[in-house]
Amino acid sequence: MQQTWRWFGPDDVVTLDNVKQAGATGVVSALHHLNTGGVWPAAEVAKRRQTIEDAGLVWSVVESIGVGEEIKTRTGNFQEKIDNYKQSIRNVARAGVKVICYNFMAITDWTRTNLEWKLPTGGYALRFDAVDFAAYDVFVLRRKGAAADYPPERVAAAEQRFKAMSPAAIDALEKILIDWLPARDFVYDRAGFLKMLELYREIPPERLREHLVAFLREITPVAEEEGALLCIHPDDPSFPIFGLPRVLSNAEDVRALFAAVPSQACGLTLCTGSFGSNRRNDLVAMAKEFAPRVHFAHLRNTRHEADGSFYEAEHLDGDTDLIGVAAALMREEERRAAAGRADAQIPMRPDHGHLLGDDVGKKMNPGYSNIGRLKGLAELRGVMRTIEAFRAGRID
Ligand code: DNO
């Protein structure tokens, strides 16, 4: 697999130099400052590409061109936004960046309750605490009908938790849940968030899926014309939150999408961490089944707890068998190479990393530390090299 690394642009404190030192060759980047629904101008795309190439790297993947709420809800100026999206696809593809990742999560992007959860080793991880989440949803946000979405014992635990929280702790939790950048290119306050939740009450999952398919039927032909590969990123977590509809949380969702839009240009970002947040997902089986249409892989791990919480574990030490996933994707690469396909190499990136060592206290994007990701990539590189050696018969 091609080893890539997410870089948020010139303001990212983890520099392109760091990317090279980590041994990645490809960069995953987006024009975050332009992710408000307009066209990404060709000149801006060219500028980002030049910056990456000047550092001796290649811009391999766009992650992400943001999909506005108008497109997901099919309200307001959604058609204009779809047209802009098409032009952005053309502009990035013509600049040579052919893999385009996006997601279709209503309002939110990946959601955690704690961005610096102390691990037994002393490093810090991202964590989703099911009780904190319910405490916010039921007792702070007071979303209509929220309590009915949780088992009664979780609501009871959440009430206790809420009663013990200081106003500052509540503010901190709220900031993490509805108002932070840049995993999302947008922020909400409580009133704005509740308003969006109301809008989505009218949109059950089947409707949201129809909206996704309608969107893809418009943009996939553009990607085909440009030789680009679209790859949807799964819902994170891969179960409903805030009562919002979900459309890409498990194998059935992927099957339904692939059947509705049967083009090779309409593919998947296999994010093992996002799908892995739902214990029912078998990532090795999913990697095998969907491999022909996996255009990009995010490799990270999760560890589940009895009460529904999970945290982001060591790359090789969570509940997901990342060695099995890597082996499945590498088999797919062999098949593609044998068929002479141009996309024989699947770009992968070590997704998220723990906050470790000298990185602690630096202003890094949560999950996007230097040392933690470097460690994740190094471990995954070791896995890939070992699989290669084994398959080449150099070891038995
Ligand atoms: C989390 C990321 C996601 C991802 C988007 C893709 O770290 O994998 O934020 O970039 O969901 O659109």
Side-chain angles (χ1 to χ4, degrees):
M1 284 183 269
Q2 187 200 12
Q3 295 167 38
T4 70
W5 185 279
R6 191 174 198 182
W7 183 62
F8 287 94
D11 294 336
D12 195 335
V13 301
V14 185
T15 62
L16 289 173
D17 223 37
N18 294 138
V19 179
K20 269 210 300 209
Q21 290 174 24
T25 55
V27 170
V28 175
S29 200
L31 304 182
H32 293 280
H33 58 295
L34 296 176
N35 245 351
T36 47
V39 175
W40 286 11
E44 288 288 322
V45 173
K47 193 168 140 203
R48 175 63 56 91
R49 176 184 154 159
Q50 197 56 51
T51 307
I52 293 169
E53 289 185 353
D54 286 348
L57 294 158
V58 174
W59 187 359
S60 308
V61 180
V62 169
E63 177 178 354
S64 294
I65 306 176
V67 181
E69 297 308 312
E70 295 84 357
I71 296 178
K72 294 176 214 161
T73 54
R74 287 183 92 76
T75 57
N77 63 345
F78 73 92
Q79 192 56 51
E80 185 188 331
K81 292 217 161 170
I82 294 178
D83 293 340
N84 292 344
Y85 207 98
K86 291 180 184 168
Q87 191 56 44
S88 296
I89 292 175
R90 292 194 194 283
N91 290 352
V92 298
R94 288 176 190 178
V97 195
K98 302 287 192 185
V99 180
I100 302 167
C101 170
Y102 65 98
N103 76 73
F104 217 75
M105 285 178 243
I107 318 180
T108 61
D109 199 301
W110 59 280
T111 300
R112 301 287 175 273
T113 58
N114 193 335
L115 304 176
E116 284 192 20
W117 184 67
K118 198 157 189 171
L119 292 155
T121 54
Y124 298 87
L126 305 176
R127 174 180 167 86
F128 182 92
D129 187 293
V131 177
D132 280 343
F133 188 85
Y136 178 74
D137 192 19
V138 180
F139 299 102
V140 181
L141 190 62
R142 305 170 82 86
R143 177 174 64 84
K144 240 184 266 168
D149 287 352
Y150 303 101
E153 61 278 10
R154 194 172 309 163
V155 177
E159 186 166 18
Q160 293 310 313
R161 186 77 55 90
F162 168 67
K163 284 184 178 153
M165 274 180 184
S166 66
I170 293 174
D171 281 355
L173 182 59
E174 175 154 65
K175 189 159 175 50
I176 290 172
L177 286 174
I178 68 172
D179 159 32
W180 65 278
L181 296 164
R184 312 166 191 175
D185 295 304
F186 45 82
V187 293
Y188 288 100
D189 60 11
R190 199 183 297 173
F193 192 69
L194 281 167
K195 204 166 136 218
M196 288 304 293
L197 289 178
E198 272 306 305
L199 180 58
Y200 275 100
R201 282 173 85 86
E202 310 300 316
I203 304 180
E206 316 79 69
R207 268 273 294 292
L208 186 64
R209 196 183 310 278
E210 282 164 24
H211 294 177
L212 169 60
V213 169
F215 172 56
L216 282 173
R217 288 198 173 131
E218 289 217 41
I219 65 168
T220 305
V222 175
E224 282 169 347
E225 270 170 45
E226 301 294 334
L229 299 168
L230 303 167
C231 41
I232 192 165
H233 185 282
D235 303 326
D236 189 335
S238 275
F239 48 80
I241 54 170
F242 293 125
L244 289 166
R246 288 299 211 193
V247 290
L248 211 87
S249 290
N250 52 46
E252 290 92 86
D253 290 343
V254 180
R255 276 181 214 125
L257 181 69
F258 283 3
V261 189
S263 162
Q264 185 61 25
C266 168
L268 178 69
T269 297
L270 186 75
C271 177
T272 55
S274 304
F275 280 132
S277 64
N278 187 327
R279 313 184 79 139
R280 285 194 294 270
N281 286 329
D282 175 346
L283 265 301
V284 177
M286 289 172 83
K288 287 183 179 160
E289 177 175 350
F290 303 123
R293 284 169 78 173
V294 169
H295 301 320
F296 184 29
H298 287 180
L299 300 183
R300 69 177 155 87
N301 225 320
T302 43
R303 176 72 77 190
H304 291 269
E305 294 168 9
D307 69 354
S309 304
F310 65 87
Y311 66 90
E312 300 198 7
E314 306 278 328
H315 281 77
L316 298 184
D317 200 19
D319 296 323
T320 300
D321 174 12
L322 283 194
I323 298 178
V325 170
L329 296 179
M330 289 170 72
R331 267 288 178 248
E332 171 62 17
E333 291 186 312
E334 288 164 20
R335 279 191 289 267
R336 291 183 191 184
R341 265 169 65 170
D343 62 341
Q345 259 207 330
I346 300 172
M348 61 71 72
R349 65 176 181 83
D351 195 12
H352 298 177
H354 291 161
L355 192 60
L356 305 173
D358 283 357
D359 280 354
V360 178
K362 289 191 189 156
K363 259 196 102 37
M364 289 174 168
N365 294 314
Y368 290 91
S369 60
N370 182 28
I371 301 171
R373 282 189 293 166
L374 195 150
K375 175 170 177 257
L377 181 58
E379 291 180 353
L380 292 165
R381 181 184 302 124
V383 167
M384 295 190 283
R385 290 278 163 83
T386 307
I387 293 171
E388 262 164 34
F390 185 75
R391 292 197 176 151
R394 297 200 300 275
I395 53 172
D396 56 22

